């Protein structure tokens, strides 16, 4: 067993004194230790073994029915000044939050094992890499973190004598929703999460560290932590160009990250490679371009809707060494969820563990049920996935779900305008989400729940990055969800989205034409390849129109949204909005 450095040991000892576990187990990253933990999980019922012939290495887990999603209302940024957390984050002063949490953690691991898990976000030894220690009392969390990150002794070794690790204290405690807190102390690189066992709240490497804490680190150190997929697009000449994409939930982000080119593209030799499905860490490279790594090592994907048709690569990723949470459990030890196929099992258990009748109208899998799958399982995982230097980014696409306002695609005029385009991202609610259908939720850069400091300062950081990136990626906005007057989608989406990405990437290399509009550069209809689709030229023309009246109303909404940031709103963004309004007349 590798010995941790004294800073790690000191911090762990303090947490032992607070949580008072019966035992402490350091996670070494070995297969044997993980197997022993699986066996223990089976014995206590925390885990259920799945059919080892059909799903080798796979296990099943149910979370508490009150604990199935991230809890934004109970997620806090605890920095000294409330203004530094900004109007879009919950805030509490660090001392006050710690005083509130102390009694909740006091003795919370009595009779339990405390697991101490060293992990790395990004490839060990990469210039991007940051190391963390997660303390937890959940075997599910340990096994999930071993999939989602590089974990174990090798991380302690890479840390050496460094005191600069990210501290994460997690306990399921009593799973009490009233005492559930997901808290971040950016000034101490500390995360404290309690009373939840759900992945997004409990796998601290993901949203808590790789976005909320890392966004702070990026600002201090001159890089960016973003809620973005990373996709490599290989053209018939064998050249691979990389694009990052930020989308709010329910906009097909995982599908885009694992896109399969349309048949006519495949026949010509186009290929797509997944580097990341959720998070990108971006740094200026010595060549003046922006380089990206995916700091994670696995996918924590939404199961419902994932099928052989919608995303065969994601499905294939789950066929071994994966964890399924809150899906339907079939009597043969395999799993099912809505949208997997058209044959719901009739003799299975639902996500709560109760006998399930597909005719009941109740979903068998929770709508936010998940798979946790190793990235190496993905058939289209990029050969550059393990490259510690990352990949050079030629384009960034922002997107949302807009029935009418946003065209299929438009390109920003320059970096500052691109930051504006990201800052005004919005998505209309679907029936699946809370709130009124059609209501827009503004979600700048898809970072609304994940930006660990004032969003106004975050935009300023984006603007300031320009100086370090003389050769910046182009920035575009895409909208796969435009509808006709009857509400039918006009664009086929899925693999056909490559047609739009192709234009964006060609723009980055000066290989495609565009026309200027009030909102930015638009492709001419002939610039989007429609070969092999049944999208007509007229439909495409319609998809590329900009309705001035809608955009004038949009500007009012943006102005109202911007207002809450007061003087933290960067001047340049205020100027972009003024200029857009002036253009619209
Ligand atoms: C996720 C999310 O789980 O964005 O990735 O909520
Ligand atoms: Mn996400």
């Amino acid at each position: 067993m590798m010995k941790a450095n004294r800073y790690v040991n000191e911090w762990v000892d303090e947490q032992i004194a607070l949580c008072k576990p019966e035992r402490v187990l350091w996670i070494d990253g070995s297969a044997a230790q993980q197997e022993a933990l699986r066996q223990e999980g089976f014995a206590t019922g925390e885990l259920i073994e799945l059919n080892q012939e059909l799903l080798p290495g796979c296990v099943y887990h149910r979370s508490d029915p009150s604990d199935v999603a991230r809890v934004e209302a109970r997620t806090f940024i605890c920095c000294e000044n409330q203004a530094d957390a900004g109007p879009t984050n919950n805030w509490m002063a660090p001392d006050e939050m710690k005083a509130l949490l102390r009694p909740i953690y006091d003795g919370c691991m009595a009779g339990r094992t405390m697991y101490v898990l060293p992990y790395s976000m990004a490839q060990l030894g990469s210039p991007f890499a940051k190391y963390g220690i997660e303390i937890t009392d959940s075997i599910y969390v340990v096994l999930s973190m071993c999939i989602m990150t590089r974990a174990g002794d090798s991380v302690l070794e890479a840390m050496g004598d460094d005191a600069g690790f990210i501290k994460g204290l997690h306990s399921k405690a009593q799973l009490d929703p009233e005492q559930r807190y997901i808290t971040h102390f950016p000034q101490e690189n500390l995360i404290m999460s309690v009373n939840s066992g759900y992945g997004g709240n409990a796998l601290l490497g993901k949203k808590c560290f790789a976005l909320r804490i890392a966004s702070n680190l990026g600002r201090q150190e001159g890089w960016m932590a973003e809620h973005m997929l990373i996709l490599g697009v290989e053209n018939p000449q064998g050249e691979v160009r990389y694009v990052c994409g930020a989308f709010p939930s329910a906009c097909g982000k995982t599908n885009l990250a694992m896109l399969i080119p349309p048949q006519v593209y495949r026949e010509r030799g186009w290929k797509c490679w997944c580097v990341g499905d959720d998070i990108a860490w971006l740094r200026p490279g010595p060549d003046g371009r922006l380089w990206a790594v995916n700091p994670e090592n696995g996918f924590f994907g939404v199961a419902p809707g994932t099928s052989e048709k919608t995303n065969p690569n994601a499905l294939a990723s789950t066929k071994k060494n994966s964890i399924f949470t809150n899906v339907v459990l079939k009597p043969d030890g395999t799993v099912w969820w809505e949208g997997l196929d058209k044959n719901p099992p009739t003799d299975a258990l639902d996500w709560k563990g109760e006998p399930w009748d597909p005719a009941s109208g109740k979903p068998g899998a929770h709508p936010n049920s998940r798979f946790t799958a190793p990235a190496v399982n993905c058939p289209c995982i990029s050969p550059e996935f393990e490259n510690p230097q990352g990949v050079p980014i030629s384009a960034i696409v922002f997107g949302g779900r807009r029935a009418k306002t946003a065209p299929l695609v438009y390109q920003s005029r320059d970096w500052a305008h691109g930051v504006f385009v990201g800052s005004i991202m919005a998505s209309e609610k679907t029936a699946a989400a809370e709130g009124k259908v059609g209501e827009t939720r503004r979600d700048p850069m898809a970072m609304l729940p994940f930006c660990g400091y004032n969003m106004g300062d975050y935009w300023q950081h984006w603007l300031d990055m320009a100086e370090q990136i003389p050769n910046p990626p182009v920035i575009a906005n895409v909208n796969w969800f435009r509808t006709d007057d009857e509400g039918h989608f006009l664009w086929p989406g899925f693999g056909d989205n490559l047609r739009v990405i192709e234009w964006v990437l060609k723009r980055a290399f000066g290989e495609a034409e565009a026309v200027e509009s009030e909102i930015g550069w638009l492709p001419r209809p002939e610039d989007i390849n429609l070969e092999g689709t049944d999208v007509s030229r007229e439909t495409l023309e319609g998809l590329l129109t900009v309705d001035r009246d809608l955009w004038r109303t949009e500007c009012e909404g943006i102005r109202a949204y911007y207002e809450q940031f007061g003087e933290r709103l960067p001047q340049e963004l205020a100027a972009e909005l003024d200029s857009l309004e002036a253009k619209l007349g």
Side-chain angles (χ1 to χ4, degrees):
M1 162 89 226
M2 179 77 202
K3 234 169 103 11
N5 75 36
R6 68 184 172 93
Y7 306 103
V8 172
N9 280 320
E10 266 169 35
W11 180 71
V12 171
D13 285 345
E14 284 167 26
Q15 310 323 306
I16 293 172
L18 175 61
C19 303
K20 306 180 177 63
E22 193 172 304
R23 283 173 300 273
V24 179
L25 180 69
W26 288 72
I27 301 305
D28 61 15
S30 68
Q33 190 185 53
Q34 284 173 57
E35 181 51 29
L37 289 173
R38 269 192 288 274
Q39 294 303 330
E40 192 180 328
F42 300 150
T44 62
E46 183 176 348
L47 301 173
I48 295 173
E49 185 166 35
L50 290 172
N51 185 320
Q52 293 304 295
E53 247 160 68
L54 299 172
L55 295 169
C58 292
V59 304
Y60 181 95
H61 171 76
R62 283 190 191 100
S63 68
D64 189 87
S66 76
D67 185 30
V68 291
R70 287 186 293 102
V71 280
E72 289 177 21
R74 308 198 68 92
T75 299
F76 287 79
I77 301 299
C78 306
C79 48
E80 275 317 317
N81 301 313
Q82 180 163 13
D84 293 330
T88 57
N89 280 313
N90 300 310
W91 172 85
M92 204 184 278
D95 288 347
E96 207 182 320
M97 180 59 88
K98 283 185 188 162
L100 188 158
L101 292 177
R102 185 156 279 278
I104 304 178
Y105 279 104
D106 192 2
C108 67
M109 295 187 191
R112 299 183 188 172
T113 304
M114 171 189 275
Y115 303 101
V116 183
L117 181 136
Y119 66 100
S120 172
M121 299 313 289
Q123 303 81 353
L124 278 156
S126 156
F128 290 80
K130 299 273 178 201
Y131 306 129
I133 302 285
E134 174 160 357
I135 289 177
T136 179
D137 51 8
S138 157
I139 290 179
Y140 167 73
V141 167
V142 170
L143 295 176
S144 300
M145 285 290 285
C146 288
I147 295 174
M148 295 303 295
T149 73
R150 285 109 178 146
D153 278 354
S154 53
V155 180
L156 292 180
E157 197 172 333
M159 267 165 66
D161 290 332
D162 195 10
F165 62 97
I166 310 302
K167 308 173 177 89
L169 178 60
H170 168 254
S171 174
K172 294 183 287 189
Q174 319 312 320
L175 294 177
D176 177 359
E178 304 297 320
Q179 303 271 305
R180 186 168 293 156
Y181 290 96
I182 319 300
T183 68
H184 308 73
F185 302 81
Q187 286 149 330
E188 296 166 61
N189 288 336
L190 169 67
I191 303 157
M192 295 176 80
S193 164
V194 69
N195 275 307
S196 170
Y198 168 75
N201 303 324
L203 309 182
L204 301 186
K206 195 175 183 62
K207 305 300 189 181
C208 298
F209 174 174
L211 290 175
R212 299 195 190 97
I213 294 291
S215 60
N216 278 280
L217 295 174
R219 182 186 181 206
Q220 289 154 30
E221 298 169 4
W223 54 281
M224 304 158 88
E226 299 299 331
H227 190 205
M228 290 179 178
L229 64 87
I230 311 168
L231 174 72
V233 178
E234 181 172 338
N235 64 24
Q237 292 75 48
E239 183 194 359
V240 187
R241 296 171 174 176
Y242 295 91
V243 54
C244 281
F247 296 84
S249 55
C251 289
K253 188 173 165 195
T254 309
N255 296 343
L256 181 59
M258 300 178 190
L259 180 143
I260 295 183
Q263 196 182 338
V264 287
Y265 277 69
R266 286 203 306 273
E267 283 165 8
R268 294 210 185 106
W270 289 82
K271 295 192 182 94
C272 286
W273 302 104
C274 175
V275 182
D277 72 323
D278 194 39
I279 297 174
W281 283 2
L282 299 145
R283 278 176 189 262
D287 57 358
R289 290 188 292 177
L290 199 54
W291 289 69
V293 294
N294 169 10
E296 299 189 283
N297 203 22
F299 309 122
F300 181 62
V302 177
T306 306
S307 74
E308 203 52 64
K309 281 218 176 84
T310 58
N311 196 336
N313 287 318
L315 197 59
S317 306
T318 67
K319 294 298 179 195
K320 58 178 186 212
N321 304 329
S322 296
I323 303 176
F324 297 92
T325 314
N326 296 340
V327 298
V328 174
L329 178 59
K330 292 167 58 172
D332 67 351
T334 63
V335 291
W336 191 86
W337 49 76
E338 278 69 20
L340 176 65
D341 56 38
K342 297 209 166 75
N343 311 308
T346 49
D347 45 4
L349 299 179
D350 70 7
W351 67 276
K352 290 183 179 161
E354 286 159 12
W356 179 58
D357 175 7
S360 68
K362 281 192 287 185
H366 187 276
N368 193 34
S369 55
R370 298 274 174 157
F371 54 80
T372 310
V376 287
N377 286 359
C378 183
C380 63
I381 195 71
S382 165
E384 299 300 314
F385 175 71
E386 291 289 355
N387 188 335
Q389 304 302 324
V391 294
I393 300 302
S394 300
I396 292 174
V397 295
F398 295 120
R401 186 180 273 273
R402 302 305 298 268
K404 299 286 172 215
T405 316
L408 178 61
V409 58
Y410 68 100
Q411 181 200 341
S412 68
R413 279 180 288 275
D414 53 34
W415 181 263
H417 181 228
V419 177
F420 173 72
V421 169
S423 79
I424 67 170
M425 259 176 73
S427 212
E428 283 150 18
K429 298 215 168 93
T430 59
E434 282 172 63
K436 248 185 33 219
V437 172
E439 196 182 300
T440 45
R441 162 168 147 137
R442 299 234 159 250
D443 188 353
M445 282 85 165
M447 281 288 277
L448 183 64
F450 306 121
C451 182
Y453 59 102
N454 190 309
M455 186 70 81
D457 296 337
Y458 165 80
W459 291 329
Q460 188 62 56
H461 177 53
W462 264 79
L463 292 163
D464 293 343
M465 286 298 295
E467 241 173 79
Q468 293 187 65
I469 327 166
N471 195 354
V474 301
I475 300 179
N477 190 85
V478 298
N479 176 26
W480 318 131
F481 301 97
R482 203 133 141 176
T483 57
D484 63 15
D485 291 337
E486 279 82 54
H488 304 122
F489 291 120
L490 291 166
W491 181 250
F494 296 102
D496 288 307
N497 293 337
L498 180 59
R499 301 166 188 276
V500 175
I501 301 294
E502 180 191 7
W503 177 77
V504 172
L505 284 171
K506 283 190 166 154
R507 289 291 295 164
F509 288 83
E511 298 165 358
E513 297 293 319
V515 287
E516 194 157 19
S517 78
E518 294 87 342
I519 62 170
W521 295 96
L522 293 167
R524 302 166 308 176
E526 60 267 38
D527 296 321
I528 303 285
N529 180 1
L530 291 181
E531 202 190 330
T533 67
D534 48 20
V535 178
S536 69
R537 165 98 182 200
E538 295 72 63
T539 301
L540 180 57
E541 278 166 11
L543 278 162
L544 294 172
T545 54
V546 175
D547 182 323
R548 286 169 157 245
D549 285 336
L550 283 179
W551 273 93
R552 280 191 206 103
T553 312
E554 185 73 6
C555 284
E556 285 167 24
I558 298 166
R559 199 166 282 285
Y561 187 72
Y562 271 180
E563 227 149 63
Q564 62 184 315
F565 299 98
E567 59 185 24
R568 302 271 182 139
L569 177 73
Q571 280 297 310
E572 277 172 276
L573 295 191
E576 289 287 348
L577 178 57
D578 290 344
S579 139
L580 174 58
E581 278 189 326
K583 287 197 180 86
L584 292 164

